[in-house]
Each structure stands twice: as structure tokens, then as C-alpha cells.
Amino acid sequence: MSNSALVNYTRISPNKNSPRNHAIDTISIHCVVGQLSVETIGNVFAPSSAGCSANYGIGADGRIGMYVEEKDRSWCTSSGANDNRAITIECASDTTSPYAVNDKVYKALINLLVDICQRNGIKSLKWQANKALIGQVDKQNMTVHRWFANKACPGDYLYNLHGQIAAEVNKRLGVSSGAAAPAAKPQQTSKTTAEKTIWNFLSGKGLNDFAVAGIMGNLFAESALNPRNLQNSYEKKLNMTDDKYTAAVDNGTYNNFVRDSAGYGLAQWTYWSRKQGLLDHARKQGASIGDLNMQLSFLWKELSGYTAVMNTLKTAASVLAASNAILTGFEKPADQSAAVQKKRAEYGQKYYDKYVKKAAAAPAAFTPYLVKVTATDLRIRKGPGTNTSIVRYCPPGAYTIIAESDGPGASKWGQLKSKEGWIALDYAKKI
Ligand SMILES: [Zn+2]
């Protein structure tokens, strides 16, 4: 087991178990609550009295520190089971919610994650914002501290970026991200962050693309129509109570309010459909109504109870059909003015065009990579599969792979740059 060559500073903490008792198959990203340097993070983990550590830390200047070698288990996530299988990474962050990290930290985090995945045979990062999937690494191999302890960590900023982080890392790993959102520079109050979070959440639920777009159209039409402030407390600034806000949504003046709008859309949605809705639930849980993923999970639970709506969503033949199923079967008494109905269809179509059509029209460019073949009996085949003819034996050596494909006989096939044929990538190691 190796450590990252990207490390700029090493100070090994005594707070660890050596060696870890499980193979590395999980990533846990944390916020360190302070714009700290790698040296300061090292100071924090140095005394055994601290009782905590992390495999890596990223300082505010983007340098990377190592505090527990990858072969060892860090004390980071309040869960021995998690820390034994996870690489834990602390990121320099703001000291207050949403514990934002700067661009340098974000970039270093992506680089470090790509390196960790490549060295440890993690083929892609998977994120579904679903605590119930802890340990099911084939479905989700990223975990967060807040699932194991009563903590905000990694903070809403990084939490909401997990889908995007996975997409960016996977793109660098050469994994096609399908209908996943295109990578973009993270912005704390970005409209697209909210959209992507919702899109990624819904895409993992077994709905077809029309249904996902239809739901998104409903959410955004029903919310402030200006979904760009996921974190800002506009409500407070405007001296609005939840009830006043709800009334404003109902009487059509809600365009004025832009706070936390994607989440608020969900709140309105369930509030009006069930009378006792998401806001009340959030209050009872003591949870921040800004926590979009919590709201999404709750919404999903609600929506899943409407069998007829769900059946329609699973087979929806158009954005409009999905949108109408929600409108008539689930949302019922919500704002159904002509203006909102029009917006709903427009927004749904917009998301469909943006995330589905665009993704289908322009598949992510494949980045060629080098592999090393050590096996002496590997065959080059005419196509990606053992059902195609053998071209010749592939002598040990280094080869450039210019395309990947699924096919019988191997978990993945790679096309050789010589265009001579394809080899089973299970017998080639990325170098
Ligand atoms: Zn943490």
C-alpha cells in the first residue's frame, strides 16, 4: 500500500491503528473548521491526547499534508468500521456554516482523490447522499462524518458538492459519467450546484430521464424561480417568517424571494400536499432547512408513498407527462396558476435539454491513458469481447488505451492506440 506522491508535508500522528483491518474502498471528506495550514493541522493531530487524526489534510494554500499513512487506520470519522476502510481527508474550511473551502483546496482535493483512486484500484467514486448505503461500496463509496456522529462535518458546502466531486474525479479517471452533471467550478451560491444536487439525487432513484426532468421542473417552478441562493439567509434579511413566505408563494408574489429556493420548493411542495410537511419535519428534526439533501431524502420518502404517481414516473414518456403526474397525483392543492404551470413545463424541458440531451449529444471526451501488461498470455482481439477473433498475442509492455468498452469475457475492454484491436483491461495495470 503506497502513499500519495502529492504530499508536501508529513507529520505522522500517534492517533491511529496500524495496520488498518480492511482494504481501502471508501473516501471520507471532512472540513477541519479553520483556514489552517498543513503544519497547523499536523499540530492538532500530534498529541495523543487529541485522540483524532486523518490520513491527509489539505491546507488553505492547497498544499497536502499526510498524518496517517494509507496502510494505517486514522481516527477521523467517529467510526472504526468506516475509518478502517476509508481514506480520510481533512480540508481547510471556514469556521462557520456552510464551512466553505477555497478553490485551491478544492482543486487539491480533486487531484488527491484521483491519485487515491488510481493507486487503490477504486474505479470510480459513487455518491448518492444516502446514509442507508454505508458499506455498500458498489453503490456508494463516499461517506460523511455527519452520518456517524452528531456533527455538521463535512459542512453543507462540501456535502452539497459531493456529487460534483465524484463527477470531476470520475472524468479524470476516464469513467463515462452518463447523464451526470457536467463538471463546473464550484460556487457557494451557484444555481447549478442546487440543480446538480437534485439531478444527481433523482438520477440514482431508478426513474427515467423524463421523470427526473419533470420533477426538477416542478421543484423549480414551485420554488422562488430564482434558485440561486442555497445558503443565504434571505428570509431573515427580509424579516419573513415561514408562514409569510408560504403566503407569498400562494398569492403569486414569491418571485421576490430567492432564499434557499430549491429546498424551499420542496418544502412548499410537501407542505401544501400534506398540510404537515417538510418544514415542520425539518423543525422537529432540528435540521437546517438549508440542507438540501435531507430535504430531498424526505421528499423522496413522501413521493414514494404515492404508488400511482411513482408508477407513472417510472414509465413517463415525456417531461410533460411526468410533470403532470406529479401535479395531479401528488402536489394537488399547490399553486396551480397558469403561470406556474407554464414555468413547470419550461423548467422541466430545460433540465431535460441540459442534462439528458446535451449529455447524449456530446459524450465526454476520452482521455487516453497508459497501461502496463505483465501477463505473457494476453490476447489482442479484433473487438471488445472474447466473442471476437484473436489478432495476436499481446507481448508484455506498455500500451496506450484510446477507448474503453464493455464486452463479454472481461469487466472492461481497452482499445490499443495501434488500432490493432482490444485487450481485457483486467490484465493491464494503469500506469
Ligand atoms: Zn469530520
Side-chain angles (χ1 to χ4, degrees):
M1 217 171 279
S2 59
N3 297 313
S4 178
L6 301 173
V7 166
N8 305 99
Y9 172 83
T10 299
R11 184 172 181 189
I12 297 301
S13 166
N15 305 321
K16 64 185 178 193
N17 295 84
S18 186
R20 64 169 73 233
N21 71 11
H22 195 283
I24 295 166
D25 61 9
T26 301
I27 299 288
S28 302
I29 301 166
H30 298 249
C31 64
V32 83
V33 191
Q35 296 293 1
L36 310 181
S37 66
V38 287
E39 290 82 5
T40 307
I41 298 173
N43 288 340
V44 173
F45 294 149
S48 47
S49 59
C52 61
S53 64
N55 292 111
Y56 295 104
I58 302 174
D61 60 358
R63 286 187 302 143
I64 297 172
M66 180 171 71
Y67 311 103
V68 174
E69 290 186 78
E70 289 191 21
K71 69 180 175 62
D72 296 333
R73 175 216 147 174
S74 65
W75 296 356
C76 197
T77 316
S78 311
S79 160
N82 185 73
D83 288 341
N84 265 306
R85 66 195 304 172
I87 293 289
T88 58
I89 305 168
E90 289 280 1
C91 298
S93 73
D94 288 347
T95 54
T96 54
S97 181
Y99 306 101
V101 306
N102 69 36
D103 272 4
K104 285 178 191 163
V105 172
Y106 184 83
K107 270 185 205 136
L109 176 64
I110 299 293
N111 289 339
L112 180 59
L113 289 170
V114 170
D115 170 64
I116 289 167
C117 290
Q118 285 174 335
R119 283 182 299 102
N120 288 290
I122 298 174
K123 287 185 177 153
S124 67
L125 288 185
K126 301 183 180 87
W127 173 247
Q128 299 200 40
N130 188 348
K131 186 181 172 181
L133 297 178
I134 289 172
Q136 298 182 48
V137 296
D138 55 322
K139 299 190 180 82
Q140 177 175 267
N141 57 11
M142 300 169 87
T143 56
V144 285
H145 201 166
R146 60 172 67 170
W147 290 346
F148 303 102
N150 185 21
K151 284 180 156 258
C153 185
D156 283 353
Y157 182 80
L158 280 171
Y159 184 88
N160 288 330
L161 282 176
H162 265 53
Q164 181 177 317
I165 289 169
E168 288 196 39
V169 168
N170 292 344
K171 198 176 162 199
R172 293 261 304 271
L173 292 172
V175 180
S176 153
S177 53
K185 194 167 177 273
Q187 286 176 354
Q188 184 177 341
T189 55
S190 135
K191 175 177 175 176
T192 51
T193 302
E195 290 171 10
K196 283 180 196 167
T197 304
I198 296 172
W199 183 270
N200 288 341
F201 177 92
L202 293 171
S203 297
K205 297 297 184 186
L207 302 175
N208 72 28
D209 291 332
F210 291 129
V212 177
I215 292 174
M216 290 192 64
N218 274 270
L219 292 181
F220 282 87
E222 196 63 32
S223 65
L225 302 182
N226 263 321
R228 64 169 179 259
N229 285 284
L230 203 60
Q231 311 287 355
N232 292 351
S233 187
Y234 270 74
E235 186 188 35
K236 207 170 158 189
K237 218 190 255 177
L238 295 167
N239 196 26
M240 290 294 289
T241 62
D242 289 337
D243 291 340
K244 276 190 198 167
Y245 183 92
T246 301
V249 169
D250 198 35
N251 69 25
T253 58
Y254 58 98
N255 306 43
N256 297 328
F257 306 108
V258 294
R259 73 168 295 269
D260 191 21
S261 50
Y264 233 102
L266 299 179
Q268 298 300 336
W269 200 8
T270 48
Y271 184 87
W272 286 105
S273 61
R274 296 292 285 264
K275 296 292 179 199
Q276 199 264 344
L278 190 57
L279 287 178
D280 293 337
H281 176 77
R283 284 198 202 98
K284 273 185 207 146
Q285 303 294 312
S288 154
I289 55 170
D291 187 339
L292 186 56
N293 283 285
M294 184 279 292
Q295 294 175 352
L296 285 167
S297 299
F298 184 75
L299 163 78
W300 184 253
K301 232 171 112 188
E302 284 266 294
L303 187 57
S304 300
Y306 287 71
T307 313
V309 178
M310 290 302 294
N311 287 342
T312 309
L313 286 177
K314 279 174 188 159
T315 55
S318 72
V319 174
L320 195 63
S323 182
N324 285 340
I326 296 165
L327 175 65
T328 56
F330 178 67
E331 199 171 322
K332 286 172 232 166
D335 186 342
Q336 296 184 23
S337 72
V340 170
Q341 288 188 43
K342 188 161 172 276
K343 281 285 173 204
R344 177 179 290 117
E346 283 171 14
Y347 274 67
Q349 195 60 48
K350 184 182 126 192
Y351 296 117
Y352 183 77
D353 292 346
K354 180 172 174 184
Y355 291 100
V356 183
K357 265 183 31 193
K358 216 168 144 193
F366 185 83
T367 313
Y369 60 89
L370 265 179
V371 295
K372 192 173 166 186
V373 171
T374 50
T376 52
D377 56 353
L378 186 64
R379 294 165 175 91
I380 299 172
R381 290 193 178 262
K382 204 148 187 85
T386 45
N387 55 346
T388 69
S389 60
I390 296 167
V391 177
R392 65 179 173 96
Y393 284 98
C394 180
Y399 296 88
T400 302
I401 299 298
I402 57 164
E404 285 182 351
S405 174
D406 293 325
S411 54
K412 209 48 138 190
W413 290 86
Q415 188 181 20
L416 298 177
K417 195 181 171 189
S418 64
K419 298 255 174 96
E420 230 181 325
W422 297 70
I423 58 170
L425 291 175
D426 306 272
Y427 304 99
K429 204 171 150 46
K430 225 175 199 175
I431 52 176

